[in-house]
Amino acid sequence: LYQDAYRTGICVLSVEEPISWAGSDVFLVVMCAIAPDGLATFRDILDVLVEILLPPGNVKTLTDGAKSFEGVQSTLPSLLP
């Protein structure tokens, strides 16, 4: 884990056709960038992401609704614990 990004942020990639990743089909990729002063923020975000993505069916719900940034924004609140 390197904290060498200019800004802390998250990028989400949702695909309709799966990506083969180490022998598994992947439909959702979450990429994180962490700035030197962003580790506390990253930890908070990671905790929430795990809570959102861990329950069965939530990844499918998110990928079905994540066709745009607005889709992610409207889908995420329904998945929050």
Side-chain angles (χ1 to χ4, degrees):
L1 180 66
Y2 298 99
Q3 293 174 250
D4 55 3
Y6 291 110
R7 290 177 36 193
T8 297
I10 294 179
C11 178
V12 178
L13 172 67
S14 173
V15 295
E16 290 183 19
E17 296 295 323
I19 299 168
S20 179
W21 195 311
S24 295
D25 287 342
V26 174
F27 291 87
L28 185 71
V29 177
V30 179
M31 298 167 277
C32 301
I34 306 166
D37 63 348
L39 189 57
T41 302
F42 171 72
R43 286 183 180 149
D44 292 342
I45 292 170
L46 183 62
D47 288 344
V48 173
L49 277 174
V50 169
E51 288 182 36
I52 290 171
L53 299 176
L54 196 56
N58 277 10
V59 170
K60 177 148 178 44
T61 300
L62 188 56
T63 57
D64 288 348
K67 304 301 182 204
S68 65
F69 180 70
E70 292 78 16
V72 171
Q73 284 182 308
S74 64
T75 304
L76 270 179
S78 68
L79 301 176
L80 290 171

